[in-house]
Amino acid sequence: MTTTLITGGQVISTTGVVPMDVLVDGEAIAALYAPGSTVAAGVTADRTIDATGKYVVPGGIDVHTHMELPFGGTFASDTFETGTRAAAWGGTTTIVDFAVQTYGGNVIESLGAWHEKADGNCAIDYGFHQIVGGVDEDALKAMDYLVEHEGVTSFKLFMAYPGVFYSDDGQILRALQKASENGAVIMMHAENGIAIDVLAAQAVSRGETDPKYHGIVRRSELEGEATNRAIVLANVAGNVPLYIVHMSASESLEALAAARHEGANVFGETCPQYLYMSLEDHLAAPGFEGAKYVCSPPLRTKHAHHHQDLWKGLRTNELICVSTDHCPFCFKEQKELGLGDFTKIPNGIGGVEHRMDLIYQGVVNGELSLTRWVETCATTPARMFGLYPKKGVIAPGSDADIVIYDPKGRTEIGYGKSHHMNMDHSAWEGTVIDGKVETVLSRGTVVIEGDEYVGRKGHGQFLERGLCQYLT
């Protein structure tokens, strides 16, 4: 096996920033050494990487991506090949994508279809959550089977999108009860989709069809109401692990924080777009440009305190993870499906390449600590979704998923610059990061080196996940 020695860097974990040399043997981390020690002086390796002046962090884990997702009459534009390659460019070495069962479909067959999409195509390691779009007896039995035999230990339900993914309260309760038996995590898209559809139809009937109305009708109060309702149902089912995805609003965070303070097994994630973007500056861009920023939940008004509350939630562990909800669509021919009717714009923003950089910029801006950066982007996602300590930490025995990050570097995000996703635009056009991903190792193999992709299609392996390791 090939050995690699990373010297001179500062290893960042959830507990601190410590100068350490890291020895990689094959696909795993073999040892950490105090630099300059007599033991370190005697270590040799096939290759040495000088990380002097740089951070050495665990590879990022994005637990919310949608490669090739069918939505709104089209498909997300990133394949597993292009999407995982872009993730690697940004220092993410593991994704957990969503296999999709829609109404009338078979859960186990839908998982098989996603295996076919991903197998042999991924540049980095990957796992699956399972979307359950129709909670019935067959789906409930399938949940047990996937947990026990397939390494799929989390299931996503929707309180939005009636007629496509929507589950009513009774269906949600039954799925939560099943999770209380088999130990799975229930992930929830928490928006009141029934009420939202009424407001959307009323807006269109008034001629309010521009992209900005997507954000206006999907009111933050309706995210807060749905979040609270999901928490109540989880409690009724027996304090089942409930993970609220892509939280965007102060109202939903308030409900989540109150439950967590009472000791409930409820957890939340947010995404970079909800930390930086706004309805006014993005969704309401001139002409049809706002369509690039249509996602659900929507970008919130900058005149409230959603941004500040979400950053505070990350600092205080009310929010435990940052993911992307990566669901890219090209502007031409895809987003343009909604010209003249915002309800027909495919929902999604591309961001799998930029999450580590964007949250690091939060460190530069004083919003988070370095340790919290690593915790929310790598370690806690691994613990929450049954990947720890194989993933999410730099420690002997863990997979050698390692990012060497240069705090003195500079990353310009934009189409034709730092942009490797399969999209005809960048939602983050013009953003400048005060730092740079320099080298990325996936299971000991260098996949990004300087400004060059040196990985390969098919390197990534499917990860059978265990149960959640992050319960209260």
Side-chain angles (χ1 to χ4, degrees):
M1 288 188 178
T2 301
T3 55
T4 301
L5 183 63
I6 301 170
T7 63
Q10 297 189 78
V11 173
I12 303 177
S13 71
T14 60
T15 57
V17 182
V18 182
M20 298 289 282
D21 293 347
V22 182
L23 179 64
V24 174
D25 187 1
E27 296 190 344
I29 296 169
L32 277 69
Y33 305 100
S37 66
T38 55
V39 175
V43 175
T44 60
D46 300 313
R47 177 181 181 180
T48 298
I49 299 174
D50 184 3
T52 301
K54 302 178 179 70
Y55 301 134
V56 180
V57 302
I61 301 173
D62 190 343
V63 295
H64 192 151
T65 68
H66 295 287
M67 308 301 175
E68 305 181 43
L69 176 73
F71 192 95
T74 187
F75 288 82
S77 56
D78 261 323
T79 65
F80 279 91
E81 179 181 358
T82 63
T84 57
R85 186 169 62 228
W89 272 101
T92 288
T93 55
T94 300
I95 64 165
V96 188
D97 205 82
F98 288 86
V100 179
Q101 179 231 11
T102 53
Y103 287 137
N106 179 279
V107 171
I108 295 174
E109 289 178 1
S110 69
L111 176 61
W114 253 254
H115 274 296
E116 289 181 11
K117 293 173 187 282
D119 185 37
N121 291 314
C122 294
I124 57 173
D125 291 350
Y126 63 98
F128 292 128
H129 312 288
Q130 178 69 52
I131 289 175
V132 180
V135 180
D136 55 21
E137 290 300 327
D138 287 342
L140 293 169
K141 291 177 183 176
M143 288 173 66
D144 283 339
Y145 181 83
L146 265 57
V147 170
E148 185 174 352
H149 299 288
E150 298 291 335
V152 175
T153 56
S154 44
F155 300 88
K156 185 180 180 184
L157 302 176
F158 288 79
M159 304 171 94
Y161 306 126
V164 182
F165 295 127
Y166 174 80
S167 294
D168 64 31
D169 288 358
Q171 292 172 313
I172 290 169
L173 180 60
R174 294 186 73 196
L176 286 162
Q177 289 170 333
K178 175 57 66 176
S180 75
E181 299 169 3
N182 62 31
V185 172
I186 295 296
M187 309 173 75
M188 192 67 69
H189 180 131
E191 289 184 289
N192 189 323
I194 301 295
I196 286 168
D197 279 8
V198 170
L199 295 175
Q202 291 171 343
V204 172
S205 72
R206 294 191 296 266
E208 297 168 349
T209 60
D210 290 343
K212 69 179 180 181
Y213 292 103
H214 173 82
I216 292 170
V217 304
R218 301 186 87 96
R219 296 175 63 115
S220 60
E221 301 98 313
L222 296 177
E223 183 182 333
E225 181 276 331
T227 299
N228 184 69
R229 182 157 37 100
I231 291 168
V232 170
L233 291 170
N235 185 60
V236 169
N239 200 19
V240 178
L242 176 68
Y243 182 91
I244 308 296
V245 297
H246 49 44
M247 298 183 70
S248 72
S250 299
E251 293 91 336
S252 56
L253 181 57
E254 182 178 357
L256 176 105
R260 284 178 62 78
H261 295 168
E262 293 296 321
N265 278 315
V266 58
F267 311 93
E269 73 171 22
T270 192
C271 309
Q273 56 266 34
Y274 303 123
L275 296 167
Y276 289 104
M277 295 180 176
S278 71
L279 187 156
E280 292 82 7
D281 294 337
H282 298 88
L283 265 180
F288 194 63
E289 283 293 301
K292 295 176 180 178
Y293 305 98
V294 166
C295 59
S296 295
L299 307 179
R300 300 299 180 188
T301 176
K302 65 182 180 181
H303 299 304
H305 44 87
H306 302 293
H307 289 157
Q308 300 96 306
D309 288 349
L310 293 172
W311 280 115
K312 178 184 174 183
L314 285 175
R315 286 193 297 273
T316 60
N317 208 41
E318 291 169 350
L319 293 168
I320 68 166
C321 293
V322 178
S323 65
T324 58
D325 191 13
H326 176 75
C327 193
F329 297 98
C330 289
F331 186 68
K332 293 292 184 182
E333 299 183 0
Q334 290 192 302
K335 291 287 189 178
E336 286 179 342
L337 291 170
L339 275 167
D341 185 349
F342 71 86
T343 67
K344 293 182 171 57
I345 300 171
N347 285 208
I349 291 176
V352 73
E353 182 177 348
H354 306 311
R355 179 185 63 119
M356 294 292 285
D357 279 326
L358 289 164
I359 304 307
Y360 177 76
Q361 190 62 40
V363 176
V364 174
N365 294 346
E367 298 286 1
L368 293 179
S369 66
L370 281 168
T371 56
R372 193 70 181 141
W373 173 47
V374 166
E375 192 168 15
T376 56
C377 291
T379 309
T380 297
R383 293 178 63 199
M384 187 71 217
F385 292 104
L387 292 170
Y388 187 88
K390 182 180 178 69
K391 305 290 187 183
V393 64
I394 294 178
S398 298
D399 281 358
D401 295 346
I402 300 171
V403 176
I404 299 172
Y405 198 88
D406 185 0
K408 296 180 180 178
R410 189 171 187 269
T411 303
E412 296 184 29
I413 301 176
Y415 199 71
K417 298 176 183 177
S418 294
H419 179 85
H420 300 89
M421 298 170 289
N422 188 32
M423 301 168 63
D424 62 0
H425 68 279
S426 172
W428 299 94
E429 188 71 41
T431 301
V432 177
I433 304 297
D434 295 313
K436 183 178 177 61
V437 172
E438 183 173 276
T439 306
V440 179
L441 287 78
S442 169
R443 298 194 331 274
T445 296
V446 175
V447 293
I448 300 293
E449 191 166 24
D451 290 316
E452 184 179 359
Y453 171 72
V454 293
R456 64 175 178 83
K457 171 183 174 180
H459 165 78
Q461 297 179 349
F462 173 69
L463 301 168
E464 292 191 10
R465 296 181 292 113
L467 298 179
C468 177
Q469 301 152 295
Y470 200 73
L471 301 184
T472 58

